[in-house]
Structures are given as structure tokens and as C-alpha cells.
Amino acid sequence: RPPFCPVPPPPRPPPQPPPQPRPFPPLPPVPPPPSPAPLPAPPPRDTAAAKMDVNLAGRLLMGALSPNNQERQEAERHLQKHLDTNAENLFRAVLQLLRTNKNPQVRMLCAVLMRRRLVNGEPVLFDTLSDQLRATFQRELLKAVVEETTGLARKNICDTIAELAKYLLFRSEWNDLVPFLLGASTGKNENLRVAAYEIFGKVADGNIERLGNHLDKVIASFGNGFRDPSMGVRVATSVALGKVAKDMDLDAKGITKCQAYLAPMLQTVNAAFEQKDEDALQRTIQVMVDIATENARYFKPAMSQLAALVGKIGKHRELEPGLRNACLEILVTVAEGEEALARKCQPFLEQSVFLSMALMLEVPEDPNWVKKDHSVDQGREENTNIEYANMAMDRLAMAIGGRKLNPVVFPAISNCVNKSDWKMRRAGLMTLSQVAEVMELKALPIKEVTKFLKDPHPRVRHAATQCLGQIANDFAPDIQQAFHGMVIPELLRVTVDCRFPRIQTHAAAALFNFVENCEEEILARYVDQLVVQLINILKSGTRPVQEQVLTTIACIAGSAPEAFQKHYDVVMGLVMRALTTANGKANEKLRARAMECVSYIGMAVGKDRFRQYATQLMQLFSRMMQNGFADDDTTKQYMLQAWTRIASCMKEEFQPYLKAVIPHVFEVASKKIEFAKGVVDGRLIMGITSALEEKATACSMLCSFAHDINKGFFPFVERTARVMLPLMDFYLNDEVRTFAISIMPELVQSTVSSLEDGKTNQQFLVNLFRTITERIVFCMEREPDVEVIISLVTGLQNCITKAGPLGKKCLDAKALEVVGKALLKLLIDSQKRIANIEKKRQHEDVDEETLDKLDEKATSVDELCLVAADCIGTLIKSHDVHFLAVFEKLGPLIMDMAHPRRTAMTRKYAVFIIDDLIEYIGRPAGKYFKEILQPLFKYALDPDTALQQASVYGLGVCAEHGGEAFDQHVNNALKTLGEAIQRNRNSQNNGPDRKSATDNAISAFGKICKYRGKATNLAQALPVWLHWLPLQVDESEAEPVYSMLCALVETNNKDLLGPNMKNLPYVVRVLVTVCGTDMVTREISQRIANILKQITKMPDKMLNSLRQQLPQPVQEKMGKILAQVS
């Protein structure tokens, strides 16, 4: 999304590592006793085995709650000492306290201590206790939950039982627990029935296999729970059901049993809503969010009922925002997890759209809103209903797609924008901005949206600018080409209206989005008008407006540099003045935007014109770096990015300033990312600090410096490699990983350039190259994301290419074998990926949108195979004959890939590798013809056109590069190619792919005649080849084919022309047909014209005979060609 648009929800944080043991965990806050008894002296060391006094344990636990820091720390120190030296006695005393103490706070603290420490540590503390005490724990905890009279203490006892059960049930211990709970779930004690289901839910949470053979019985018990008259029991049953259902395999038999309780679960949620029991509602809605996140298909039998229920709850304004947002989250998450199910359920789609739009309506009335700084005020709306609804609508659109969403959302938008209530009009426009990306441009009412820029209410105008800015970004450059005459003037009109600064700022941002993707020819018409008006705003506008205008001017300069040149001096004067005079904290962002603007302008006008200001800027920035920045100073990030753009503009002239900036870049790029922790709705939330964005920026800068400065970057190559190599598997941020991969070829290039200049030695290049290669291979083998694997393979291939001839010295045979095997494994594993995709295609709920997404995944896998095979080809090319020793090891893997049991795609890429082996190694590879020609001959007749094309192409490569070793196979190759051509020409399904395969076969046939003609009868072969011409679609093969044809005609080849030149009329037909078309180059067209001119010099009788045999259209075109030659 553009900077001014609502930000999509952040990715879920990675799983949190297990917490490290702490000296003593903090206990939950409860009111301390009025006056705790004084603490006794610590026990002497020689009494460690003595029994611990129960009263002492109680006083220590209460002391840990003391508001007095000294008393609390002293109590915690004593507790920790007993845990370290005499855990048996401590927990014996704690268990006794739990069972006998009259103070519910003490009982609660006993349960908390047990839960936190019994199953933690290495070894697990519970295992270090005596058998007798462990058995006592299991027995007494169950008695405690039965006899406990207070809710808070009982809850903590349940938590303790659940934690211990998670550990013991996996080891087939505590066998009487589940039968006890099953009995308790039907007992007369309501609190105990609630406790039973709460324990079931906690034990099942995260791994239902803990319940083992008891799972079916537990699921069956849910029926009793939902029939229970107690609301508390039904809520606890709902939560337990959710914990089981969310982790159950969709193919498991139990999922159907669980789905049988979906209707009672929804009834329980509805009852909680009707009874206004917000705590019960919160718990049940949250567990449905969990189900939607982990196992959305669970809701399949009741999609309509689910949508109706949460839609009703979510629209209830008296509920707190987090609960209402959770209702919307259920709908959106189900749509994301089960897209096809959601698309097929019209009520589900309607409720999802209507609830999102209903929340968008809850905009507060604020008469001062138009004058507030958007960047400051927007933060106050975060996590509110309207912001959450905006993000939800965007997520819903991406999940459902335009085909199914259009019939639901556009009538709702139309209904809103035609209302007199400004909140309705605003909601309609904001909805359109969020869903437009998945629609077709022709379906979007651009003209109508533009009219709302004149709406009487400022927030509607603001929404209209948002909508246009978003659509401009989503549909570039088509919308710019179609609507520039309408949109640019209207956005400029709103931008210059100084009465509403906030809308001014937003309009300038929308204008940025629109002009950023304008073709230079179109934008040039508006540059003068735009720049003059924006300069006036820059002189007199409010600070937030000036900040955005600077960015928009920079964009105009970059998108239409020629038209901007006349304004350069005026604009640069204003921007430099803003940069040097906008001092103080209040002007911090204005300074930052000025840095951004001036660097973009420099890139637009080029280093020759920018040089004067570039020197001033680099000196200014150097002073600022030396003076340092405050921790919260955003100028630093903008300045670093400006450095990057100036370096890109100035190239090698920037080198002297690298020393000033790059230490800080290294520091930020290598900085460890810390997680920010918070609690929302009682749940721990992990967030990533802004340091992650800074890290990505620093990595981007290193990439730019290495690319733009090249050999001048060499002094920093080693340090850069040390920083960036570990970031190839930095899973917190895809950008960081991408930069870490893409910089490696630049480091190789910089080193090679410095080696050529004598500034380093070859061993440094070898060490660098091997280190990079080992790291890339390591990441390739572990990376799950196909797109990232493609980046890794492409990075490896680019490193090999950048190394050039020196590359063969960088990898020895062993390393080459490792790389080759890793690449081949990618090709083999891709067969499994394709199989999984095909399996999903057969699913009962698949629809058009799902098929489209599966096609995209299949295309990505095919691209991965292509780059992997191409990378192997690059290895072969760079190591030429030296690769043969490696082929001895890799050959069996390659031939296994070519086996008929493999998929056509896998066999195709095996053939690609064989083709490259012959093409780049040539004659020495001929000794493997016996093995490698078998798949080429076999698959030249394969019905899969892509596999066939690769195979026939390979036969042509063998003829061109294989030497005499191929001669014994020539006649078989000609026969096979001829059969392939005839089959394809006779096929009813003769589409472009088959035609391309046919063209390749014809080309290969010609190469055999050209390069291995001595091994066959050319008088028979060449006329056959001729009459297969012209080629139909393959332009890359057309060049060698028609070049060969011209050469044969120019030399009056008798085998081609035949006795008495009987084949000449057909030769002329072919040459005239292709001359001047895209199938031949300009040079070949000129050769054809010269040949035709020579033919006209033949004796009149022969020439007349020739003309009589040519169709009239051919004669007419030939006449035009000859006229141009004359």
C-alpha cells in the first residue's frame, strides 16, 4: 500500500523461543496481607535434607507478595534457594499448604508455583521428585480441585493440573486423570463440571494427541456439556471443543464428530450475547478466532449460520471494540483460510462485507479533524473499529477475488455513496479503495469518484483522494493513460485549496501516486502547471502540507526529468533552503523530506548538473553524521536513504564519502532485532520494533553502494559479506533476505574488478566465492518459500556469471558436485510440489479463483525448475570440459530425472541439462552419447510439447557441437525428427506450443544437414527440409534456419535446388513469404532481397517459368521487394 493508505495487518510473529529459566517467576498481583510475619533466618546448609516447615513455606509465599521491595526480594531469594537445594521438601510443604491452608490467596499461590516450576527445567523438576511425592501430587491435585471453594484458586489449580497432564499423558502416565474428568463432567457439582471441561481444553490446546486413546470419549462428552443447564459449563465446553477442533486433522474421523457440536457451540455464543454475558462472549468468540486461524474448514457445515451470528454480534455498538473486531476477524480469517468455501456461500460474503462497512461508519464527529496533522492523528485511530474494518476489507478482497466479491460489494458501495449521510458516502469510497485492486479497471467508476473531490463534507473529499490514490497505485499505468486528463487537474485543484490542510496533504499524496507511474510523455504536459502550483504551496503551506509536497515534487522530477529541467534551479534553491534552515524538533520531518526530495531530483537531472549541490549535500551530511542523532530522530533514516540515491547518481565520485556513512550502515544492518511485548485481551502479543525497518533500509543501501560504486566498494567487500551472509535466512523480513542474496553477485563483481586492477589476489576471490556458494546452498536446502529459493538460485547463477573465466578456479570438483546435487534436488523436489498442487486441484471445493492461485503456484514452481536447470547450464558453461569429471557423479541423477516414471516437467529439465552439456562442452561430451541420446530420441516423439521441443532441440545441438561421435546416430535422428514433424502437422491440436516444437524439429533437421551432412544423403534430406518451411512461430530458430537457406541458395547448392533447379519456385515462395516479417532480421531480409534480385537476372524463359509457378500474392510481394531494392 502507498504510504498514505491504511497499512495491512502485520505478519504473525514467528514462534517464540521457549523462555529461559528465571531465578524465581513473578507471581500474579493479589492484595498482600495486612502485616506479614517477620521472615526467619535462612536454614543452615547442613539441614538441606530436613523437612521444610509448612508455616515457613506459607510465609515465604506471602512475603513474595510484599509491597516492600526488600522483603519481597528476600522471600524470593529464600524460595529460590530451597528450589535449588531441597525442591522435594519445598513442594511437599507447598502441596500441604494447598490442601490445608484456610487463606485462598495462599492456595492460589501454591498452585501458581507448582504450575510454573513442576514441568520446567532440565531435567524436569517433577521427575526429580520421589515416586511417592509424584503419586501424592497426582492424587491430591484432583482432590484439591474437587474441594476448592473459591473461583480464582480453583482456576489456578486447573491450570496446574493441565500443565502437569500435558507432560504426563504423553508418557502414558496419570492414567486415572481422564476417567476422573469424564466422571466430573457429569457430576452434580457445577464448578467441578466447569473445571473438567476447562482442563480438557487446556490439555488439548496445541496438541490433541496428548489425550491419546481418550480423545473419542472426550469428544463424546461434549454432548453432555452442551446439554448442561449451566451457562458456565456450556461456555467451558465450547472452549474445550474449540481447542480440540482447531488442531484436528481435516481427514481425521473425529472431525465429523466435532462438527456435530458446531450448532450447539453457536447456540451457546448466541445465548451469551442475548444474556449480555460479555465475559462468556469474549471467551467463546476468541476460541472461534482460534479455530478460524488454525482450521477454518471446521465451520463448513454452518458457514451461513456462523456469518449471521458474528455479523449480528459485531454490529452491536454497546460491546467493546476488541470483541466486535474479533467477530469481523472470524469472517475474514475463514475467508483467507478457506477461500473456495467462502466464495460459494453468498450469505457469508454479504455478512463479511456488511459488517466491515458497518464498522467503517463509526467515524467520530470532530470539527477540528481537517486541521490536524494526519500522521499524528492517524495513530490515535489505530485498533479502532474504522481502521480495523479498512484492513479487514482489504484482506477480504485479496482472499475472495473480484469475480465473487463484485456482485456483493458494488451494490453496497452504490447504496452508500448515494446517501445524504456523509458517513455513508465516506464508507462507500473507503470500501472501494480497499477492494479496487481485485477488480477490473473498466468496472471502476473513476469519473464518479473524481466528482466526490467536490463533495461538501471534507471527510468525503478526503476519502475520494484516498480512493484515487489507491487505484492509481493498483492499476498503473493503465489508469494514468486513460484518465490523466480528468484526475491530475482535479487532484491539483484539491491540493492547492489551503482551507483544508489535511485534505491538501492527502491530495498531494494521491497526486504522488498518480504521477509516479505516468509515462513521461503524458506527464510532461502537466509538469509546468504542477511544479509552479506546488512551489507556491511550498512557500506558504502548513508544515505537513510542505512535507508531502516535497515528496510529490521529487516524484515529478523523477517521472519527467526532461520537462523538469527548466524548474531545477528554482526548486533546488527552495529545497536547499528548507534543508538548511528548518531547524529544531518541530521541523524534523520537513528536513527529512527535503533530504529525500533533493536526492531524487539529483537522480533525475544527472550527476553533471547535480554535482555542485551533491558536494554541498555530502559535506552537510558528513557533518550531521559526526554530530550524531537523537534516538528518536527520523532524519537519520531519510539521510541514509538520501546518501544511497546520491551515490546512485554520482557513481564513482561518491567513493570518498563512503568512509563517513558506511560504518553506521554496517552497525544498523548487523543490529539484533528485539521483540516488543504487550498484552491484548489477556493474550501475549509479540511485535517487532522499528529497528527491523531500519535494518532493511541499511541492507538496501549496501546493495546500492556495491552496485553503483563497483570496484570502489572493494575495501568494504569483506565486512559486507560478514554482515550480509547470515541474513540470507533472516525470516523476520523478506526484504532483508532478498537484499542479502542480491548483493552477493555485486561483491563478486567488485572483487573481480579489483583483481583485474591488481588491488587484490586471486585467493581472496576464491575464498569469497566459496563462502558465498556454501551459504547459498545451505539456505537453498532449508528454505520453504519457492520465491526465495528462486532468488537464491538466481543469486548463485549471477555470482558464477560475474566471476567470468575466473569462476572455474573458484570451485573445485568436490564443491562443484555439491552445488550440482543441490540444484538437481530442487528439480526432483519440484515434482512433489507439482503433485501437491495437482492434488489440490481435485478438491471438491475448488473454484475458478482457487484454480488461478494454484496456477500461479505451479508457474512459480516451473520458474524455479527453469532457473535451477539454467544455473546448472551456467556451471557447465563456466567450467566447460572440467565439468565432465563432475558429470560422472551427477550423471546418474540426471538420467534418473529423465526416466519415464518422472513427470513430463522433470524429464524436460533433465533434457535441458543434457542439451547444455553438449552445447557448452562439445566434442568431449560425445563419449556419453550412448546414454544421453536415449531420452532425446524417446521424448522427441512425446505428446508433451515442451518436452518434445527440448528433445528435438537437443538433437540439433548434438549435430552442431557433438562432432564425429554423432555421425552414427544421424540417420536415426533424421528419421525421428521427420516423424515428429509429420505427427505434429497432422495433429488436430496444433496450437502455438506444438508449432514451436515443430519449428525446433525443422531447425534441428537443418543443423544435421549443415554440420553432419557427410553422414547422410543430402540430395534426399535437404529437399525434405525445404518443403517443411516456412517456420510458423519460433523467431529464435528462424534466424539460423533462414540464414542457412540463404547460404545454400547463394552458393547454388544442387542438393537443395534439385535437378534443373526444380525446387527453386518453392525456395522463392519461402523467401518472399518471410521477407520483412518478424521471423527474420533486417540483415536476412536484405540477403533475401539480393537473392531475388539475382534471380531476376536469369534467362527470360527460366524466369517466366518461375513466375508461372508462383501464386499471385507471392509475385506481388516479390515485386514490392524488388522495387525497394532498386
Side-chain angles (χ1 to χ4, degrees):
R1 294 293 183 200
F4 68 97
C5 295
V7 180
R12 295 190 184 96
Q16 187 180 3
Q20 298 297 319
R22 295 170 24 152
F24 184 75
L27 296 169
V30 291
S35 54
L39 295 172
R45 294 184 182 181
D46 59 354
T47 62
K51 289 187 177 181
M52 185 177 186
D53 181 76
V54 174
N55 293 327
L56 169 61
R59 290 198 298 273
L60 288 175
L61 287 173
M62 297 305 292
L65 295 174
S66 172
N68 184 292
N69 287 337
Q70 183 176 357
E71 290 181 4
R72 185 174 64 254
Q73 292 170 3
E74 186 71 9
E76 290 176 354
R77 186 174 65 82
H78 288 322
L79 279 171
Q80 185 62 47
K81 182 171 183 178
H82 284 290
L83 280 169
D84 294 338
T85 61
N86 201 349
E88 174 99 5
N89 285 338
L90 173 62
F91 276 104
R92 191 183 301 277
V94 169
L95 183 59
Q96 186 175 349
L97 278 172
L98 176 70
R99 300 291 292 116
T100 61
N101 197 280
K102 303 299 182 183
N103 188 337
Q105 292 182 3
V106 172
R107 298 198 300 274
M108 182 199 71
L109 292 175
C110 291
V112 170
L113 181 62
M114 292 176 186
R115 175 173 60 84
R116 293 188 176 183
R117 297 308 296 257
L118 276 178
V119 292
N120 287 327
E122 185 61 41
V124 172
L125 194 150
F126 187 77
D127 290 340
T128 66
L129 304 179
S130 65
D131 292 345
Q132 179 188 13
L133 183 56
R134 292 204 300 270
T136 303
F137 257 109
Q138 296 173 35
R139 181 177 64 253
E140 294 299 322
L141 281 174
L142 297 185
K143 290 182 179 179
V145 77
V146 173
E147 298 172 4
E148 181 56 57
T149 58
T150 62
L152 189 57
R154 186 186 313 108
K155 178 183 179 301
N156 281 278
I157 293 171
C158 289
D159 291 344
T160 302
I161 292 173
E163 286 301 309
L164 189 57
K166 289 179 183 179
Y167 180 66
L168 295 179
L169 290 179
F170 252 141
R171 307 195 308 184
S172 299
E173 299 179 23
W174 209 354
N175 294 323
D176 56 343
L177 172 64
V178 175
F180 167 82
L181 294 174
L182 289 172
S185 68
T186 58
K188 296 181 179 180
N189 186 330
E190 177 185 344
N191 291 330
L192 191 55
R193 297 200 302 274
V194 171
Y197 286 113
E198 285 184 346
I199 294 172
F200 279 144
K202 294 176 189 297
V203 172
D205 193 12
N207 193 337
I208 58 175
E209 292 182 7
R210 298 187 186 108
L211 293 172
N213 296 330
H214 301 291
L215 179 59
D216 287 343
K217 295 178 182 178
V218 172
I219 293 174
S221 76
F222 293 155
N224 294 326
F226 283 118
R227 287 190 293 271
D228 198 293
S230 166
M231 184 65 176
V233 175
R234 297 201 302 275
V235 169
T237 306
S238 297
V239 173
L241 171 65
K243 300 299 184 183
V244 172
K246 76 181 181 69
D247 291 323
M248 183 164 281
D249 190 339
L250 292 174
D251 298 326
K253 295 180 181 178
I255 191 67
T256 304
K257 297 177 182 178
C258 279
Q259 285 177 326
Y261 299 117
L262 177 54
M265 181 188 205
L266 297 180
Q267 291 167 6
T268 301
V269 177
N270 186 59
F273 173 67
E274 297 293 343
Q275 296 173 21
K276 299 182 179 180
D277 187 341
E278 195 157 339
D279 178 67
L281 192 59
Q282 181 75 50
R283 293 180 62 200
T284 49
I285 289 292
Q286 183 55 58
V287 81
M288 289 203 296
V289 172
D290 294 340
I291 297 173
T293 303
E294 302 294 336
N295 198 358
R297 182 170 286 272
Y298 175 75
F299 292 118
K300 180 180 178 180
M303 292 284 285
S304 298
Q305 297 89 327
L306 171 71
L309 175 61
V310 297
K312 177 178 70 172
I313 297 171
K315 293 172 186 173
H316 197 74
R317 293 198 174 198
E318 293 182 5
L319 296 174
E320 62 99 16
L323 182 55
R324 300 175 66 201
N325 292 341
C327 290
L328 181 55
E329 180 66 24
I330 292 172
L331 297 175
V332 175
T333 306
V334 169
E336 290 175 326
E338 289 294 335
E339 301 163 350
L341 280 180
R343 293 189 196 103
K344 291 180 179 180
C345 185
Q346 186 77 3
F348 181 92
L349 295 179
E350 291 173 352
Q351 288 292 344
S352 302
V353 169
F354 296 160
L355 179 55
S356 296
M357 297 185 75
L359 295 179
M360 288 183 190
L361 290 172
E362 299 179 16
V363 186
E365 294 279 0
D366 184 359
N368 296 319
W369 179 88
V370 293
K371 298 180 180 179
K372 293 179 179 178
D373 185 348
H374 173 74
S375 62
V376 175
D377 192 46
Q378 186 185 32
R380 297 172 185 168
E381 294 181 352
E382 288 179 2
N383 298 322
T384 63
N385 291 335
I386 55 174
E387 290 300 316
Y388 195 89
N390 285 337
M391 293 187 288
M393 187 65 81
D394 177 62
R395 291 166 59 196
L396 187 67
M398 298 306 295
I400 301 301
R403 277 193 287 257
K404 290 293 184 180
L405 195 62
N406 192 326
V408 177
V409 76
F410 270 111
I413 292 172
S414 179
N415 179 56
C416 284
V417 297
N418 290 311
K419 296 292 184 181
S420 58
D421 185 350
W422 69 266
K423 293 182 180 180
M424 295 283 283
R425 299 198 301 277
R426 178 195 174 278
L429 290 169
M430 291 302 296
T431 299
L432 180 59
S433 75
Q434 298 303 93
V435 304
E437 184 178 2
V438 299
M439 305 297 175
E440 294 183 3
L441 179 58
K442 63 183 180 182
L444 300 179
I446 306 299
K447 183 177 180 180
E448 288 72 15
V449 173
T450 306
K451 291 179 181 178
F452 282 102
L453 293 174
K454 298 178 181 178
D455 192 275
H457 199 282
R459 296 209 67 167
V460 177
R461 298 198 298 276
H462 185 272
T465 61
Q466 163 78 24
C467 193
L468 287 173
Q470 188 65 67
I471 294 174
N473 189 68
D474 292 339
F475 289 91
D478 296 337
I479 185 175
Q480 282 81 357
Q481 294 172 353
F483 296 100
H484 61 85
M486 178 190 305
V487 175
I488 291 180
E490 282 300 304
L491 284 177
L492 181 59
R493 181 185 59 77
V494 179
T495 302
V496 300
D497 188 345
C498 299
R499 295 173 298 167
F500 307 98
R502 188 164 184 174
I503 302 176
Q504 259 191 296
T505 305
H506 217 52
L511 192 59
F512 169 93
N513 270 28
F514 198 91
V515 303
E516 182 183 23
N517 295 292
C518 258
E519 294 179 3
E520 184 173 359
E521 182 181 355
I522 293 175
L523 184 57
R525 309 173 198 175
Y526 302 95
V527 167
D528 292 346
Q529 181 186 5
L530 287 170
V531 174
V532 169
Q533 297 277 27
L534 294 176
I535 286 175
N536 291 335
I537 299 173
L538 201 57
K539 293 177 180 177
S540 58
T542 62
R543 188 170 61 249
V545 176
Q546 290 175 323
E547 292 165 3
Q548 181 56 56
V549 165
L550 283 170
T551 301
T552 306
I553 289 175
C555 181
I556 294 170
S559 299
E562 288 300 320
F564 181 79
Q565 291 282 352
K566 68 173 74 173
H567 304 284
Y568 173 74
D569 292 325
V570 174
V571 172
M572 281 297 290
L574 287 171
V575 178
M576 289 297 290
R577 184 157 60 248
L579 180 59
T580 55
T581 61
N583 300 316
K585 184 68 177 176
N587 290 314
E588 180 182 297
K589 194 170 182 180
L590 182 63
R591 257 190 338 271
R593 291 296 181 90
M595 292 176 181
E596 179 184 61
C597 182
V598 75
S599 58
Y600 271 117
I601 290 174
M603 292 179 67
V605 300
K607 68 178 181 180
D608 291 336
R609 191 166 188 189
F610 185 58
R611 185 175 286 108
Q612 175 188 354
Y613 286 112
T615 303
Q616 295 179 36
L617 286 168
M618 289 188 285
Q619 291 172 350
L620 173 63
F621 291 172
S622 295
R623 289 195 300 270
M624 294 174 71
M625 289 291 294
Q626 292 171 1
N627 295 333
F629 296 91
D631 291 339
D632 61 343
D633 191 342
T634 57
T635 309
K636 176 175 61 177
Q637 278 297 101
Y638 278 87
M639 190 197 69
L640 290 175
Q641 294 176 41
W643 275 114
T644 308
R645 289 186 284 270
I646 294 172
S648 180
C649 174
M650 303 307 294
K651 304 294 183 185
E652 66 281 352
E653 294 182 30
F654 186 82
Q655 184 181 355
Y657 297 94
L658 261 180
K659 293 180 180 179
V661 67
I662 207 164
H664 180 76
V665 179
F666 281 140
E667 178 186 351
V668 176
S670 57
K671 189 175 182 180
K672 184 178 179 181
I673 299 298
E674 297 179 355
F675 289 91
K677 299 180 181 180
V679 176
V680 178
D681 296 331
R683 310 179 80 198
L684 179 64
I685 303 297
M686 300 292 291
I688 301 175
T689 64
S690 60
L692 184 58
E693 182 181 346
E694 295 177 3
K695 188 181 190 78
T697 300
C699 292
S700 171
M701 292 178 66
L702 289 173
C703 285
S704 297
F705 289 153
H707 174 76
D708 294 325
I709 303 175
N710 193 7
K711 68 177 67 176
F713 190 75
F714 177 72
F716 310 99
V717 163
E718 184 174 0
R719 175 76 186 279
T720 303
R722 293 183 187 280
V723 170
M724 298 295 276
L725 280 168
L727 299 180
M728 284 187 189
D729 56 0
F730 186 78
Y731 293 105
L732 293 179
N733 186 279
D734 287 343
E735 280 190 343
V736 171
R737 278 194 291 172
T738 301
F739 291 138
I741 296 165
S742 60
I743 198 174
M744 297 303 152
E746 305 299 339
L747 301 184
V748 172
Q749 177 66 68
S750 180
T751 303
V752 169
S753 299
S754 296
L755 181 60
E756 292 170 350
D757 291 347
K759 295 181 179 179
T760 187
N761 54 56
Q762 186 171 300
Q763 189 58 46
F764 181 87
L765 174 63
V766 171
N767 293 341
L768 174 69
F769 193 92
R770 288 183 180 176
T771 303
I772 292 173
T773 303
E774 290 172 2
R775 181 63 178 164
I776 289 178
V777 170
F778 175 87
C779 293
M780 274 192 326
E781 294 173 341
R782 290 158 180 80
E783 175 60 53
D785 190 298
V786 171
E787 296 297 333
V788 177
I789 300 175
I790 291 172
S791 297
L792 286 163
V793 177
T794 303
L796 175 60
Q797 184 177 14
N798 289 339
C799 286
I800 298 167
T801 303
K802 296 285 188 182
L806 295 171
K808 67 178 66 177
K809 299 179 181 179
C810 294
L811 294 178
D812 57 21
K814 182 63 178 175
L816 202 57
E817 180 184 346
V818 170
V819 174
K821 284 184 176 179
L823 292 168
L824 289 175
K825 187 175 185 299
L826 290 179
L827 291 169
I828 295 170
D829 289 347
S830 292
Q831 181 171 327
K832 301 175 185 175
R833 292 187 174 97
I834 291 295
N836 289 334
I837 291 172
E838 293 304 318
K839 182 179 179 181
K840 292 178 181 178
R841 289 184 197 275
Q842 308 307 318
H843 199 280
E844 60 178 330
D845 293 318
V846 73
D847 60 7
E848 287 185 57
E849 283 82 359
T850 304
L851 287 174
D852 289 344
K853 292 184 178 181
L854 290 175
D855 286 342
E856 291 176 5
K857 290 183 178 180
T859 300
S860 295
V861 174
D862 194 43
E863 183 183 356
L864 169 60
C865 292
L866 181 61
V867 297
D870 202 35
C871 188
I872 293 175
T874 303
L875 279 174
I876 297 171
K877 183 177 181 180
S878 65
H879 288 76
D880 51 65
V881 72
H882 299 287
F883 190 84
L884 287 180
V886 180
F887 184 72
E888 294 284 350
K889 304 286 183 66
L890 301 183
L893 290 175
I894 297 171
M895 299 312 296
D896 181 69
M897 287 173 55
H899 194 278
R901 75 175 185 279
R902 298 291 188 182
T903 63
M905 187 183 78
T906 303
R907 286 179 279 152
K908 176 183 70 174
Y909 288 111
V911 171
F912 279 3
I913 296 169
I914 293 171
D915 294 350
D916 287 340
L917 186 77
I918 303 300
E919 183 171 357
Y920 297 133
I921 296 180
R923 293 172 185 266
K927 62 181 180 179
Y928 300 108
F929 274 157
K930 181 180 178 181
E931 293 81 12
I932 63 180
L933 283 178
Q934 292 180 23
L936 297 188
F937 282 128
K938 182 176 182 63
Y939 300 135
L941 301 174
D942 197 89
D944 185 277
T945 54
L947 176 57
Q948 182 191 95
Q949 179 171 327
S951 302
V952 298
Y953 174 83
L955 291 174
V957 169
C958 289
E960 184 175 358
H961 300 282
E964 295 80 3
F966 187 66
D967 286 350
Q968 60 182 306
H969 306 285
V970 161
N971 289 328
N972 189 18
L974 292 174
K975 179 183 176 182
T976 301
L977 290 169
E979 185 177 349
I981 293 166
Q982 288 302 128
R983 281 190 185 184
N984 290 348
R985 290 277 170 91
N986 295 333
S987 173
Q988 294 181 349
N989 182 22
N990 194 19
D993 292 340
R994 192 167 299 280
K995 289 179 180 178
S996 182
T998 304
D999 287 351
N1000 275 263
I1002 296 169
S1003 177
F1005 195 102
K1007 289 177 182 177
I1008 294 174
C1009 294
K1010 179 177 180 179
Y1011 296 105
R1012 309 312 315 159
K1014 294 180 180 180
T1016 190
N1017 185 343
L1018 290 179
Q1020 293 179 356
L1022 281 176
V1024 171
W1025 172 74
L1026 170 65
H1027 283 81
W1028 282 328
L1029 299 177
L1031 302 186
Q1032 294 177 290
V1033 294
D1034 198 321
E1035 296 179 10
S1036 61
E1037 290 302 320
E1039 195 277 332
V1041 166
Y1042 293 123
S1043 179
M1044 174 182 167
L1045 178 60
C1046 288
L1048 291 171
V1049 177
E1050 288 165 348
T1051 57
N1052 291 315
N1053 185 281
K1054 295 180 180 179
D1055 293 326
L1056 175 78
L1057 296 173
N1060 299 319
M1061 304 185 76
K1062 69 173 185 178
N1063 295 328
L1064 181 60
Y1066 196 81
V1067 169
V1068 173
R1069 286 180 62 178
V1070 172
L1071 293 176
V1072 171
T1073 299
V1074 301
C1075 184
T1077 68
D1078 293 337
M1079 295 294 286
V1080 293
T1081 62
R1082 182 177 298 178
E1083 291 74 18
I1084 291 179
S1085 289
Q1086 186 60 50
R1087 287 177 70 182
I1088 291 173
N1090 293 334
I1091 289 170
L1092 295 177
K1093 185 176 181 179
Q1094 290 300 317
I1095 289 174
T1096 59
K1097 296 179 181 179
M1098 291 169 44
D1100 291 344
K1101 183 177 180 180
M1102 294 180 64
L1103 190 59
N1104 290 333
S1105 175
L1106 171 65
R1107 286 173 176 162
Q1108 290 174 5
Q1109 297 180 63
L1110 296 176
Q1112 187 62 32
V1114 174
Q1115 292 186 46
E1116 292 174 359
K1117 184 176 180 181
M1118 181 176 174
K1120 293 178 181 179
I1121 295 170
L1122 291 172
Q1124 291 176 356
V1125 175
S1126 302

